[in-house]
Amino acid sequence: MEIKYIENGSVTSAKGFTANGICAGVKASNTTKKDLALIYCDKVCNSAAIFTKNLVKSDTIYVTKKHLENGTAQAVVVNSGNANACNPDGYEKAEKMCSLAADALGVDENDVIVASTGVIGQPLPIEPIASGIEKLKGTLSKDGGISAAEAIMTTDTVKKQWAVETVLDGKKVTIGGIAKGSGMIHINMGTTLSFVTTDAAISSEMLKSALIEAADVSYNMVSVDGDTSTNDTLAIMASGYAGNKEITEKNDDYKIFTAVLTDAFKKVAKKLAKDGEGATKLLICKVDGAKDDKSAKIISKSIICSSLVKAAMFGADANCGRILCAIGYSGAETDVKKIDVSYKSAKGEILVCKDGNGLVFDEDKAKEILLEDEIEILVKLGDGNASAEAYGCDLTYDYVKINGDYRT
């Protein structure tokens, strides 16, 4: 399987796609931050999406689900600064965003994917979106993926974009995407917003299946704060311009496509976790020796979600008791007398627990390891051969500050 990441690749790297993002004034009239993006393909694409499992959803999700019932789309319109969730006119405004984008691009409004992100429960101002879409009209380009990535950011400190090349049926295929996420991210399709494009020829059914498989071991393994967003949307459009034989079943080409998608999504998952609100450290919890995949996932998630573990990592405190505690209440069956725990970073690795019992270890060495900005929590069980990874971040003072005045 060939995987080549494209330097400065983005959602426009695949053949047929252009994009752009601007400051329309959705966030505030006195800001210059980009807050409106369009992504467009010059043909109707096979498309699919997966969404938050939160019962409280943005109306953008209901509109997008309706538009994707036939498995096709040609454009994405997305704003930041306002989630368009819990509003009496939310559905109407989500549909209006689609019709405005459709008119500007000359496409069918039923082929427009719509998404929003930002503050929940505040009316979405449609006027700046309408004028913004008019400004975006005619400005879409292959270089516009970067601006689109910036326009979907809320409390993100860095944009998340990527593109990768592989080979299917002897043809070069490109997959690219953008994502946003910093807070309100939790395991349950915890991706906030992510838009993916490809020039592979693949059916909408296989796109949906590949999304689910890839997200299950990447986006779904991320937690920043234990809150599942109302707006989580992961959407993909396939132009088919690569010229490979269309993937309509789970054959070898499907497996390659899904594996490449998974590799990219795992990289994005780490970026989302590392850019968690107020975070100073990326935490990667690796669980080995579980009795099955489900148990491995449950345990790794439980550890990465623990507020006590996250706080300990912020303070560089090698407290194995918090790891063991999180394993114990995870709900997974495991022999607690066979648990080993280590911490690892660029400064080395240290074993702090053996067979379920804490060890005497070099506290200074442990602190040195945990002061790094990327830490692996390594858990070895004695139950089987299954493994899993989960991605999170430390819990800092700044997280409280950011969310204490999020609306103001």
Side-chain angles (χ1 to χ4, degrees):
M1 181 178 70
E2 296 184 33
I3 301 180
K4 178 185 176 184
Y5 280 86
I6 302 170
E7 186 176 0
N8 296 320
S10 189
V11 73
T12 55
S13 294
K15 294 177 182 176
F17 294 95
T18 54
N20 198 10
I22 63 168
C23 173
V26 179
K27 292 182 177 179
S29 58
N30 61 346
T31 184
T32 59
K33 290 183 178 179
K34 295 182 177 71
D35 53 16
L36 183 67
L38 281 177
I39 303 166
Y40 167 72
C41 187
D42 60 16
K43 63 174 289 190
V44 176
C45 300
N46 287 338
S47 303
I50 54 179
F51 307 95
T52 183
K53 292 181 175 66
N54 195 322
L55 293 179
V56 178
K57 294 178 175 65
S58 167
D59 281 300
T60 57
I61 290 177
Y62 295 111
V63 171
T64 295
K65 280 185 174 181
K66 178 184 175 184
H67 288 185
L68 287 176
E69 285 177 355
N70 65 353
T72 64
Q74 194 170 356
V76 176
V77 58
V78 52
N79 73 274
S80 57
N82 187 304
N84 193 18
C86 307
N87 292 324
D89 60 355
Y91 194 92
E92 175 188 340
K93 286 181 176 176
E95 284 193 316
K96 183 63 175 177
M97 286 178 66
C98 291
S99 65
L100 288 166
D103 290 345
L105 298 171
V107 305
D108 188 327
E109 65 182 85
N110 291 308
D111 282 328
V112 179
I113 290 168
V114 60
S116 298
T117 182
V119 179
I120 297 168
Q122 292 190 349
L124 176 68
I126 201 68
E127 294 80 9
I129 292 176
S131 59
I133 289 175
E134 194 60 31
K135 291 176 185 176
L136 280 169
K137 181 180 177 180
T139 70
L140 307 187
S141 71
K142 295 297 288 185
D143 296 326
I146 295 173
S147 294
E150 293 171 346
I152 65 174
M153 294 167 62
T154 49
T155 55
D156 306 63
T157 63
V158 295
K159 59 182 177 290
K160 291 93 175 174
Q161 61 179 25
W162 57 275
V164 61
E165 293 176 351
T166 190
V167 175
L168 297 175
D169 186 37
K171 308 291 185 180
K172 184 177 78 171
V173 167
T174 302
I175 311 171
I178 57 175
K180 65 83 55 181
S182 186
M184 213 176 202
I185 300 176
H186 183 56
I187 300 129
N188 214 353
M189 224 308 285
T191 174
T192 62
L193 300 183
S194 184
F195 307 104
V196 183
T197 58
T198 180
D199 48 28
I202 178 171
S203 70
S204 56
E205 293 79 11
M206 291 300 98
L207 280 173
K208 181 71 169 287
S209 180
L211 272 190
I212 292 170
E213 285 189 42
D216 187 51
V217 292
S218 56
Y219 285 135
N220 285 357
M221 300 301 289
V222 180
S223 184
V224 167
D225 50 20
D227 278 289
T228 300
S229 171
T230 58
N231 291 58
D232 293 345
T233 300
L234 169 56
I236 186 168
M237 298 191 295
S239 69
Y241 279 132
N244 61 294
K245 181 180 178 181
E246 185 178 17
I247 300 169
T248 58
E249 59 182 358
K250 294 184 178 181
N251 54 21
D252 288 344
D253 281 347
Y254 169 85
K255 292 175 183 176
I256 293 171
F257 182 85
T258 305
V260 173
L261 201 61
T262 301
D263 189 82
F265 282 4
K266 283 187 174 182
K267 285 180 168 57
V268 177
K270 292 176 184 178
K271 289 180 180 180
L272 292 170
K274 190 170 186 176
D275 195 32
E277 288 174 340
T280 65
K281 300 172 185 179
L282 168 64
L283 308 180
I284 304 172
C285 181
K286 298 182 177 181
V287 173
D288 292 305
K291 72 171 187 176
D292 52 39
D293 290 343
K294 182 179 179 181
S295 297
K297 289 177 181 177
I298 289 172
I299 289 171
S300 60
K301 290 176 181 180
S302 184
I303 293 168
I304 220 72
C305 290
S306 166
S307 294
L308 288 177
V309 170
K310 291 157 66 70
M313 294 300 95
F314 173 60
D317 179 6
N319 187 339
C320 70
R322 295 183 177 182
I323 306 295
L324 294 170
C325 183
I327 295 172
Y329 64 62
S330 69
E333 292 185 13
T334 185
D335 187 341
V336 297
K337 296 297 184 182
K338 295 181 180 178
I339 301 173
D340 296 349
V341 179
S342 300
Y343 296 115
K344 182 180 179 181
S345 74
K347 294 295 185 180
E349 181 176 346
I350 191 165
L351 182 70
V352 296
C353 172
K354 180 70 175 175
D355 295 329
N357 296 308
L359 300 175
V360 176
F361 54 87
D362 186 335
E363 293 281 0
D364 291 335
K365 177 62 177 177
K367 193 172 190 69
E368 182 183 20
I369 290 170
L370 296 183
L371 283 172
E372 292 296 296
D373 64 3
E374 186 170 319
I375 299 163
E376 293 183 7
I377 302 170
L378 307 177
V379 177
K380 295 187 181 299
L381 309 175
D383 308 317
N385 299 311
S387 60
E389 282 187 8
Y391 314 104
C393 59
D394 55 344
L395 179 60
T396 71
Y397 308 126
D398 283 342
Y399 177 84
V400 178
K401 288 170 63 178
I402 290 168
N403 284 282
D405 59 4
Y406 181 67
R407 293 197 307 150
T408 56

